[in-house]
Amino acid sequence: MLSSTAASLYWLGRYVERAGNNARGLQVALRMVSLTGAVAQRDSAWRALLIASGCEPGFIAKDIPLTQENVVRYLAADPENPSSIMSCIEAARRNGRAVRTALTVDMWEAVNETWSQARRCSDETFTPDRLPDFLDWVKSRTVLFNGAYADTMLRDEAWRFVRLGTMLERADNTARVLDVHHHALGDVEESGAVAYLQWQAILRSVSALRAYQWVYHARLEPRRIAELLLLRPELPRSMIACYARIEETLDALAASHGGKRGECHRLAGEVHARLRFARIEDIMAGGLHDFLTRKIDRNIDLGREIAGFYLHS
């Protein structure tokens, strides 16, 4: 497969996943703001969302006030923000079009129809009254695309690169969501309505609130939340589940390239092994923030190594 084709498939997976992640993040932030009275706490929710999405530097560069309207516009529709939902939809369609023949009919229709409908969005789409429907629509389109490629693609190289992009983007999002709220999951037991809302926000950001209740049959507890999102392979968005799929996909790619391996294979295996043999007690004792910072850095390194080995050759 040409590296340009592989790159388009990989980024198609990443951009679709990123759009869905941002939609969930905005939904959670809106819910937090509606249930929080203090202005400082509302500002904190919007700042946390910008950090979790990796968009804080770009937002700061625009030199605009930290308000709900400005953050929503920047994350949902700003064409100058390459990670805004609308920018992700545009980039996903552009990459999909470049490799149209490598996609199934269902995949292309999911991408192209999403783009076509998004083009009909207006400024009114992002007003408080209509924003929830838009975010639900984005989530449903992401699920449709993921289902299309999971159910209709041959398990060949094209599928592997889409999957690789999806899983790397998902792992990065989970780590960032946890890290931006690490203070609420520290060793000191927090209590009260605000802390409980933060714990719910973490789980809702990765669609894991019901999963937590199913796995633990207990009230929300910080250590269990961290354990679920880091170390429980049953959760599709946990770090360990994502890295198991990343390593598996890279192994399959190596096998199809005559066993040739690069630093990306070693790095993915290392991160997965550390997660497999980690204990949540040790992670919390050593500092959750430090642990997550290292994982975010490793995600960035892995993305760079994948690009160098497979996408830019």
Side-chain angles (χ1 to χ4, degrees):
M1 178 179 289
L2 293 173
S3 59
S4 59
T5 300
S8 291
L9 291 164
Y10 170 83
W11 282 106
L12 170 60
R14 291 203 72 158
Y15 279 121
V16 172
E17 182 69 17
R18 190 174 300 176
N21 291 340
N22 282 343
R24 275 191 306 277
L26 279 165
Q27 283 185 327
V28 171
L30 288 167
R31 186 175 187 276
M32 282 283 291
V33 168
S34 70
L35 297 174
T36 302
V39 173
Q41 291 171 350
R42 293 200 296 269
D43 289 349
S44 177
W46 292 120
R47 184 172 290 105
L49 177 58
L50 287 168
I51 295 171
S53 63
C55 293
E56 187 188 33
F59 184 85
I60 291 174
K62 291 183 76 72
D63 195 26
I64 55 178
L66 182 70
T67 64
Q68 175 173 322
E69 180 181 5
N70 286 340
V71 174
V72 167
R73 291 277 176 175
Y74 187 69
L75 291 180
D78 193 334
E80 296 179 2
N81 176 12
S83 292
S84 73
I85 291 173
M86 297 295 281
S87 293
C88 287
I89 291 173
E90 177 72 29
R93 198 262 185 178
R94 184 171 61 251
N95 280 282
R97 186 179 182 184
V99 290
R100 172 67 184 85
T101 57
L103 308 183
T104 65
V105 172
D106 292 307
M107 288 177 69
W108 172 246
E109 288 181 350
V111 172
N112 196 48
E113 288 178 10
T114 300
W115 172 79
S116 180
Q117 293 175 36
R119 292 183 70 192
R120 295 196 288 270
C121 291
S122 64
D123 288 343
E124 292 184 359
T125 304
F126 309 104
T127 58
D129 288 341
R130 296 182 60 182
L131 182 62
D133 289 339
F134 171 75
L135 297 177
D136 281 335
W137 172 77
V138 173
K139 286 170 54 182
S140 70
R141 300 305 297 185
T142 301
V143 171
L144 177 64
F145 173 81
N146 287 340
Y149 93 74
D151 287 353
T152 65
M153 284 193 88
L154 293 173
R155 274 21 181 190
D156 57 7
E157 283 198 348
W159 175 79
R160 290 174 191 133
F161 280 111
V162 176
R163 189 191 200 209
L164 189 59
T166 300
M167 291 304 153
L168 190 61
E169 187 71 27
R170 186 174 295 180
D172 185 68
N173 180 69
T174 297
R176 290 177 184 274
V177 166
L178 269 174
D179 192 42
V180 80
H181 293 291
H182 74 271
H183 58 279
L185 299 174
D187 289 328
V188 177
E189 291 293 330
E190 295 194 31
S191 60
V194 173
Y196 200 79
L197 283 175
Q198 288 181 318
W199 300 341
Q200 283 191 329
I202 295 168
L203 293 170
R204 290 180 187 275
S205 295
V206 293
S207 301
L209 183 56
R210 288 193 178 183
Y212 178 96
Q213 296 163 346
W214 183 268
V215 170
Y216 295 108
H217 302 287
R219 288 176 57 83
L220 301 186
E221 296 180 11
R223 290 195 177 202
R224 285 177 172 170
I225 293 171
E227 180 185 56
L228 180 69
L229 270 62
L230 288 173
L231 306 180
R232 296 298 295 247
E234 310 97 307
L235 184 71
R237 294 183 179 277
S238 71
M239 286 284 291
I240 192 170
C242 292
Y243 263 92
R245 287 160 178 79
I246 289 169
E247 184 179 23
E248 177 187 24
T249 304
L250 285 171
D251 285 346
L253 285 170
S256 67
H257 285 77
K260 185 179 179 183
R261 291 173 176 268
E263 175 63 12
C264 57
H265 298 85
R266 188 202 67 78
L267 189 55
E270 175 194 316
V271 175
H272 184 209
R274 289 183 182 277
L275 290 165
R276 283 179 59 206
F277 296 106
R279 298 189 308 171
I280 195 61
E281 294 81 8
D282 297 334
I283 292 172
M284 302 301 280
L288 181 62
H289 175 59
D290 290 342
F291 179 87
L292 290 167
T293 298
R294 290 194 297 271
K295 290 296 175 283
I296 292 169
D297 289 342
R298 295 307 246 178
N299 283 338
I300 294 171
D301 292 341
L302 179 57
R304 186 182 301 115
E305 293 298 334
I306 289 171
F309 193 74
Y310 283 113
L311 311 182
H312 295 160
S313 58

